[in-house]
Each structure stands twice: as C-alpha cells, then as structure tokens.
Amino acid sequence: MNAPQPPVSYPFSPSHAMKFGTPVPDMGSGPIPAESVTSAAYFEREREQIFKQAWLQVGRVEEIPNAGDYFTRELHVFKSNIVVVRGKDGAVRAFHNMCTHRGMALATEACGNTRGFTCEFHGWGFGLDGSLQAVPAIESFPGIDRSRLGLKALACDTWNGFIFVHWNPQPAQSLADFMGPLARDMDGFPFDQCQHIAHYTARVKANWKLSIDAFQEAYHATYLHRHAIPGAGDLELALPSSVRFYGPHRSVSCWLKTDIQPTPAEAIAYKHGSFGFVKADEGDTRGLNPSGDESWWFDINVFFPNFFCDLGRGWYFTYNFWPVSENDTIWNMNIYQVQAATAGDRLAQEFTRVVLRDTVFEDMSTMEFSQKAFDSGVITEQTIGDTEIAVRHQYWVADEWVNGRRP
Amino acid sequence: MTNQLPAAFADLEPFCAKWLRPTESQRNQVRISSDMAELRVFYDAVLPRFDAVIRHLNQFPLGDLPPAEQNLLNLSFAFVEATAPVERFNSPIVTKTFPPERFLIHEDLGRSGGW
C-alpha cells in the first residue's frame, strides 16, 4: 500500500473533490487490456484462483428460518448445484447437491422443507448435517464406510444474515477475516429490520467483471441516467465523494445535489412517507457514510469477487454476478427497505423500487455492446478515468488473484 | 359491476379494469404495453387525487387493509409505475434499455433471493 493520496480536484467540480478514506494501492496506470474479459483461458484461471478461493454470498437467513428449510443454487462457476439447509441444531450448512453414490441430485426443487435428503435414484438417505444414514441393501456394498460417504460440504458462514459459502470446506481464512474492515464499517446498518421488496435477474452476454463495472462508478450517471434520475445530468455527480480500498474489496460513496427536485408524484409521496431512493435526508445513519461526506447519498460496497451491498438511508440493495463463462453472466438483484409503517411509507418506497429498476435497465443497456466490441478484437483495451478508479481496482485485484497473489 | 375501490375514490373506478394488478411484474407489463396517451390519461386522473389516496390509506394498518383499500394501494402502485413514462422518459419503456423480455421480475419476495 502507498501513502494516502491528496484529494484530487477536477476542473468541472469546483466545489467537491474526491477523497480517499484509505491508502490507495499502487494499481498502475494506463489502459486495461481487454483480454481478461474475452479470454476463455483467463476465465478458467479465475474459476480456480478467484471463485474457488473466496467467500461467495448465496442467500439470506430469512429464506430458511426453520430446521429443515433449504434452498438450492446453480453455481456454474463451480460446475455444481449446491443446497443450503438449516439443521435441527439451527446451524446453516451448504453441500454439493449430489448423491455420493452415483451423483444424482438430492434436492430437485428450488426450495422447501425436509427431514433429510433421500436420493430418488436408489434411495440413499442423508441427514440435514450431510451424514449418510441409509443405504438400501447395504449388505450388497461389502466393506462400505458410511462415514466417508457423507454429502460433500462447502464451508458456510453468515454475516448480518447474509449466507456465504466457500469451495474449500476448511478455508484458510474465516468469513470475518475475508470481509475485514469493510464489513465492520457496515455492521451498524439495521439489516435485520429490512424487508425484501424486489428481486430481479437477467442473463447477460457479457463478462462478469465487465458487468460489475457498470455498477461501481458514477461517471456514467450524468449521461446514461439523465432520464431515470432527473438532475443526474450534472457532471459534478460523476465524481464519487469518497473511495476506500480494503484489500480486494472496495467502497465508493456517491453524493447527491441537495437542490435536486422530486417529480410531482414523488413530492406528494414524500410528504407522507420516508425512505425514498433519492430523498432521505434524515434518519438512521449507522453503518453509512464512513468518510463523513457532505451531501452524501449512498455507499457502493463491493465484496470481491461478485457481491455488492449498497447502503442508503432506510434501504439497501444487493447484486450478485455469477459467471457462466467468459462472456456469459447471471445477474441477480435484491432490494430491501426498512419495514413500512404506513401506506404512505410504502408508496414512497415504491418509487425506490420503480426508479431503481428503471435505472438498472439503463445500466444494463450498455454491457453487451462493450463485450461485443472487446470480443471483436477491434477495441483492445479499456481507457479508465480517475473517477472510475473502482474499475481499475477490480481488474488489478482480479489479476493479482489469478496470478496467485492476494492484495 | 361492483365497485372495487372505497366509495370516496369512485372517480378512479374506470381505471381498475386496466391498471388494478396484484404484482409488480403485471403492473410493469401493463405500463410497457400501453401507449403514452393511455399513460397520460391515467397519470392525469390520479395525480390530483394522490394526496387524498395516501391520507385515506394511512388511516388503516398497512398489513391488514380492507379489500377495497388494498385495491386502492395496488392501483397506487400502478400509478407509481405510470409516473416513470410521464415524468421521466416520455416513453412507456426505459428509453435506452436492456430488453425487458430478458429482465425477470420475480414475485418470490421474502423466500428467495436466488437466481
């Protein structure tokens, strides 16, 4: 790590400068080669060196409140389907959803409740803890060691209700150590008081890192979001108010002009309800705005490699970016808001849902074109500006991990 | 035909056939399959009533709305959906958009988060 850099000032922003809340790593400068978003060989190295070496967020505890509740997830990057289940002891565990006999899937529904997993193929039975408990006609398997044939586990742990798994059942680094100070900065946020208000997915023909890029810089907001967020068409907004780096993770705070005007309909809703998306100038600030920025709007928190947990006052949303191949990604978004007390609150929140969804439609309109440009070989590198420093950080960290280093 | 909304909002009854939908994906579908003239008529009718709608709904516990009030809330969600074309895009769909048919709006709230 280098020493903290002095704040950068930009000619188009006389009143605001981009601050760094942490030391800025030496990430190099210059264009970023496009190979890491187009190469199948590079993606195979990412599969082994990044995704099988990092904690990955796969769900929330509210999805499986009771013993025996489970959900399954298709993890193409592992070439596996996993099942996450709450045991009789209350612990959440994760297993590869594969019978250890001949590989049949055990849970064939997206979610459910069960006393155990029985394979539909030959009837092998497994407990919620993964132990092999029943083998029909076990005498036909002379010398079988049931203790070696339990379900193949992944490491599983939680942070503020978010469930994470790790390919290695006994990873060298705990989830808490992996998430580090960024997670601790966010710990005060009232995650447990929030309600799930929206869930979106899309399969995007673009590299997972390229897809992430569209959501971790504000430079695009001034132009791309000039319709969805009236008032965003101001170049000063291109500047993050502050940026922080935490090992492989990063956090970018965005600011909002205080004189932004709600639309006529929003103005009525906001008279009666709080926690709107672009107007929430009072309320609980725990876990938010770690650099104490003025005119602060929200924090983009990116846990390497593929999980976002963006926090605002009274709301948060998450993204997961699940690679299928070097140019195929499943994008997943969930929006949560503090439980509404009145219909007025709920209608103010509805603007969050609709405005945010429309904004994401705009974000996602660009990435497949970029992927095609890089796949064509015509555009061979990405030119990155200083306000897009999170983009540079992502490619630098990914390349370090691919090469066996762990910043 | 029986009224679906509270009596005080009978003036909005004509919009129920098209706009009263129980889910986000259905409301979005109605929005993006409408033309701007239809969207403006709905917007212009509800906007001056929106304040009274919220005041009325706020008299009831949110989690236990009577059927007519629940319908009024769902119609209001459709109004929020319709404000975006009128107030932001001048277009039923997002102007520069990812293809809506490939963007899945799920209704499995609370129990999912999957993909």
Side-chain angles (χ1 to χ4, degrees), chain A residues 101 118-119 122-125 132-141:
Chain A
H101 174 217
T118 301
C119 181
H122 303 92
W124 282 35
L132 176 58
Q133 298 190 335
V135 178
I138 193 168
E139 59 277 13
S140 69
F141 295 88

Side-chain angles (χ1 to χ4, degrees), chain B:
Chain B
M1 189 180 146
T2 52
N3 286 344
Q4 301 192 72
L5 301 177
F9 299 95
D11 55 310
L12 300 179
E13 287 286 346
F15 296 101
C16 288
K18 181 178 174 68
W19 291 99
L20 180 53
R21 294 284 182 275
T23 67
E24 179 185 6
S25 58
Q26 290 177 33
R27 293 188 289 267
N28 183 249
Q29 194 58 46
V30 173
R31 162 187 161 185
I32 67 177
S33 60
S34 298
D35 60 33
M36 283 307 294
E38 293 172 299
L39 285 155
R40 285 211 175 83
V41 167
F42 181 50
Y43 175 87
D44 289 344
V46 180
L47 184 70
R49 303 285 280 135
F50 195 37
D51 190 79
V53 165
I54 297 171
R55 286 176 193 281
H56 178 80
L57 291 175
N58 277 354
Q59 301 174 81
F60 299 86
L62 179 58
D64 192 24
L65 294 177
E69 275 70 23
Q70 184 62 53
N71 285 341
L72 186 62
L73 181 61
N74 284 342
L75 190 71
S76 301
F77 290 153
F79 168 70
V80 174
E81 197 58 67
T83 61
V86 174
E87 295 184 336
R88 299 171 194 274
F89 298 102
N90 193 28
S91 158
I93 66 167
V94 175
T95 322
K96 297 294 179 190
T97 191
F98 186 80
E101 65 276 13
R102 292 171 52 206
F103 189 105
L104 306 182
I105 298 173
H106 301 275
E107 303 292 352
D108 52 1
L109 302 181
R111 281 292 295 174
S112 188
W115 49 86

Side-chain angles (χ1 to χ4, degrees), chain A residues 112-130:
Chain A
N113 179 278
T114 186
R115 287 187 292 179
F117 297 104
T118 301
C119 181
E120 289 292 333
F121 200 174
H122 303 92
W124 282 35
F126 300 85
L128 298 177
D129 62 356

Side-chain angles (χ1 to χ4, degrees), chain A residues 43 47 76 203 206-208 322-329:
Chain A
F43 176 65
R47 189 197 304 276
H76 298 273
R203 189 156 173 171
N207 180 267
W208 64 278
W322 288 104
V324 179
S325 73
E326 71 279 9
N327 55 14
D328 187 359
T329 299

Side-chain angles (χ1 to χ4, degrees), chain A residues 303-371:
Chain A
F303 289 98
F304 186 75
N306 67 335
F307 175 54
F308 280 53
C309 186
D310 289 10
L311 304 184
R313 280 196 186 99
W315 53 262
Y316 77 95
F317 57 83
T318 65
Y319 304 124
N320 307 88
F321 299 81
W322 288 104
V324 179
S325 73
E326 71 279 9
N327 55 14
D328 187 359
T329 299
I330 295 170
W331 168 86
N332 183 52
M333 178 179 194
N334 291 286
I335 309 176
Y336 304 81
Q337 292 208 297
V338 169
Q339 182 85 41
T342 64
D345 282 343
R346 184 62 193 83
L347 281 162
Q349 293 181 351
E350 189 66 9
F351 282 95
T352 300
R353 181 155 80 166
V354 171
V355 173
L356 198 46
R357 163 160 44 76
D358 284 353
T359 305
V360 167
F361 269 105
E362 292 178 337
D363 287 317
M364 297 181 66
S365 71
T366 66
M367 51 189 66
E368 292 185 347
F369 290 103
S370 296
Q371 185 69 39

